[in-house]
Amino acid sequence: MAKIQMKTPLVEMDGDEMTRVIWQMLKDKLILPFVDLKSEYYDLGLEKRNATDDQITVDSAEATKKYGVAVKCATITPNAARMDEYKLKEMWKSPNGTIRAILDGTVFRQPILVKGITPYIPTWTKPICIARHAYGDVYKNTEMIVKEGSKAELCVTDKDGNESRQLIHSFDNSDGIIQGMHNLDNSIASFARACFNYALDQKKDVWFATKDTISKKYDHTFKDIFAEIFENEYKAKFDEAGIEYFYTLIDDAVARVVRSDGGYIWACKNYDGDVMSDMIATAFGSLAMMTSVLVSPTGVYEYEAAHGTVQRHYYKHLRGEETSTNSVATIFAWSGALRKRGELDEIPELVDFADKLEKATIDTIESGIMTGDLYLLSTLENKKKVNTEEFLDAIHDKLTEIVA
């Protein structure tokens, strides 16, 4: 059969370790036999980032803004041990963080459901998508240890040099700690628009929650910005799409989520999203069974696997030992990017192929063929553990049947 033709390239960001090995295998077995792939390739492997002083990460993000769609492999964010292992010039920042900042994006993560793996909360019959605001709060905080007898104040100096002060606490009888956090109105607004745009794209309700009853300025500002943007820019669009925007307190939201059947986008502030995304992933089954897409408020999409580079399996691979590494999240990153490219370029064959690639992947698992992590979770009676390449081969065979 003729390969599906693409009009516009998507940006391809290669990565590190075992996921890099899978990346090439996946392309060879599941993409290139069926699609005449057009991509602008960037090697974000740690060696290349080091050689270019991380400029290649910036270049890949700028290319994503140009072409509108990217697919990214998992990458190493180096620590001290990696500095020595890779002989790095410096401890380069997270590529995901760099790309996120350039695109002004919000991360949306959602579990992939398959028969045989039952969520720990059995009422969750539909996936819950976590939207995490990835700026500010505790991740850009300033902290201090405070000695007994000290007085801590919050001081803001305006552009004319005028100071405003508020007492935080007088540490009269004990040592203590203080923490200062900030956020930006324009970042919160970008977060809101990304959530509302993605909800329209996915035809799903949006839930948002803060603790505005306690945090009457910080959290309340989030609530007010979301409400204003929704009423002025999105309410009519949501009504037309038949979806809703729902706001409540964060503790009430958690209770509602646990009692729900899923099927919505849960927008979370930075810390809440960090915690809740791992909770959702674990409760649904596995971080390797999560989609992840970075969406900018201008409609730029970058798809990636939600997990890391699977370092332990990579070292086994280097020793020539067999691995059984789950490639599902990486497959769905590719299918998501190809589908979005097909939608934007009006290529229904490419959209259809992305759907069939996902179906072939799920059908393979539900037929009993799966990697070791899923084998331990699955309740299917006919399950069979296969290695990394055998799993991709099985999906290739299933995909060939479906597209024929």
Side-chain angles (χ1 to χ4, degrees), residues 251-266:
D251 43 343
D252 180 53
V254 171
R256 287 173 180 267
V257 166
V258 171
R259 292 195 303 265
S260 76
D261 61 355
Y264 46 83
I265 297 167
W266 184 10

Side-chain angles (χ1 to χ4, degrees), residues 33-214:
F34 307 95
V35 178
D36 185 16
L37 182 65
K38 287 183 171 61
S39 69
E40 186 159 315
Y41 178 85
Y42 292 87
D43 183 356
L44 298 193
L46 191 49
E47 295 96 335
K48 193 69 172 182
R49 281 182 276 145
N50 190 58
T52 63
D53 295 335
D54 208 30
Q55 182 61 39
I56 195 164
T57 306
V58 175
D59 292 345
S60 71
E62 293 296 339
T64 303
K65 289 166 69 174
K66 176 182 176 181
Y67 291 109
V69 181
V71 58
K72 180 182 174 294
C73 184
T75 47
I76 295 169
T77 299
N79 55 18
R82 299 295 202 169
M83 286 280 292
D84 295 334
E85 181 181 357
Y86 284 88
K87 298 180 173 56
L88 302 180
K89 300 173 187 175
E90 62 179 84
M91 202 177 295
W92 304 109
K93 295 180 180 179
S94 160
N96 290 345
T98 298
I99 295 165
R100 195 178 298 143
I102 292 172
L103 298 184
D104 192 21
T106 294
V107 179
F108 296 85
R109 290 187 171 176
Q110 177 172 299
I112 301 161
L113 305 187
V114 295
K115 293 176 184 175
I117 299 178
T118 303
Y120 285 91
I121 299 178
T123 57
W124 287 356
T125 57
K126 293 177 284 187
I128 298 169
C129 178
I130 293 287
R132 176 186 171 188
H133 182 215
Y135 178 82
D137 298 344
V138 70
Y139 302 88
K140 284 187 173 291
N141 70 5
T142 300
E143 301 176 326
M144 293 179 70
I145 301 293
V146 182
K147 292 298 183 183
E148 181 181 344
S150 301
K151 179 176 71 173
E153 295 179 314
L154 196 62
C155 176
V156 175
T157 306
D158 69 19
K159 61 182 180 181
D160 298 319
N162 302 310
E163 290 186 353
S164 300
R165 291 177 176 270
Q166 286 193 21
L167 177 68
I168 297 172
H169 189 71
S170 293
F171 293 82
D172 297 329
N173 303 311
S174 175
D175 294 347
I177 47 177
I178 59 171
Q179 179 183 86
M181 300 194 307
H182 80 280
N183 223 294
L184 303 173
D185 284 6
N186 58 9
S187 179
I188 300 167
S190 292
F191 174 43
R193 289 190 177 96
C195 289
F196 295 142
N197 286 337
Y198 194 67
L200 289 168
D201 185 63
Q202 298 292 306
K203 301 293 187 292
K204 290 186 175 182
D205 295 345
V206 175
W207 294 15
F208 181 51
T210 68
K211 195 68 173 175
D212 65 276
T213 52
I214 302 300

Side-chain angles (χ1 to χ4, degrees), residues 13-17 19-20 23 72-76 305 307-309:
M13 306 174 186
D14 211 341
D16 287 300
E17 297 188 320
T19 45
R20 185 184 183 95
W23 193 261
K72 180 182 174 294
C73 184
T75 47
I76 295 169
H307 55 72
T309 59

Side-chain angles (χ1 to χ4, degrees), residues 229-272:
I229 289 174
F230 177 74
E231 290 295 328
N232 293 340
E233 301 176 29
Y234 291 93
K235 188 177 188 307
K237 296 176 184 177
F238 269 50
D239 289 344
E240 184 180 349
I243 57 177
E244 295 181 344
Y245 168 59
F246 171 71
Y247 177 84
T248 188
L249 293 172
I250 185 65
D251 43 343
D252 180 53
V254 171
R256 287 173 180 267
V257 166
V258 171
R259 292 195 303 265
S260 76
D261 61 355
Y264 46 83
I265 297 167
W266 184 10
C268 294
K269 290 170 56 194
N270 206 349
Y271 181 80
D272 296 338

Side-chain angles (χ1 to χ4, degrees), residues 211-348:
K211 195 68 173 175
D212 65 276
T213 52
I214 302 300
S215 177
K216 298 182 186 297
K217 290 187 172 64
Y218 196 99
D219 278 23
H220 215 296
T221 297
F222 275 84
K223 176 186 178 182
D224 292 344
I225 289 174
F226 261 73
E228 181 180 358
I229 289 174
F230 177 74
E231 290 295 328
N232 293 340
E233 301 176 29
Y234 291 93
K235 188 177 188 307
K237 296 176 184 177
F238 269 50
D239 289 344
E240 184 180 349
I243 57 177
E244 295 181 344
Y245 168 59
F246 171 71
Y247 177 84
T248 188
L249 293 172
I250 185 65
D251 43 343
D252 180 53
V254 171
R256 287 173 180 267
V257 166
V258 171
R259 292 195 303 265
S260 76
D261 61 355
Y264 46 83
I265 297 167
W266 184 10
C268 294
K269 290 170 56 194
N270 206 349
Y271 181 80
D272 296 338
D274 191 4
V275 174
M276 296 306 175
S277 62
D278 279 5
M279 184 270 287
I280 292 291
T282 303
F284 271 100
S286 169
L287 192 59
M289 297 290 286
M290 291 281 285
T291 64
S292 182
V293 56
L294 178 71
V295 182
S296 83
T298 58
V300 173
Y301 290 74
E302 183 246 321
Y303 296 82
E304 62 179 350
H307 55 72
T309 59
V310 203
Q311 180 184 9
R312 181 173 58 86
H313 285 201
Y314 180 60
Y315 291 157
K316 289 182 66 176
H317 170 77
L318 291 180
R319 293 193 298 266
E321 299 174 14
E322 184 173 274
T323 63
S324 184
T325 313
N326 190 335
S327 52
V328 171
T330 306
I331 294 169
F332 272 65
W334 272 100
S335 63
L338 291 171
R339 180 184 295 107
K340 181 54 65 177
R341 184 77 279 162
E343 290 172 356
L344 295 176
D345 291 350
E346 297 182 340
I347 307 174

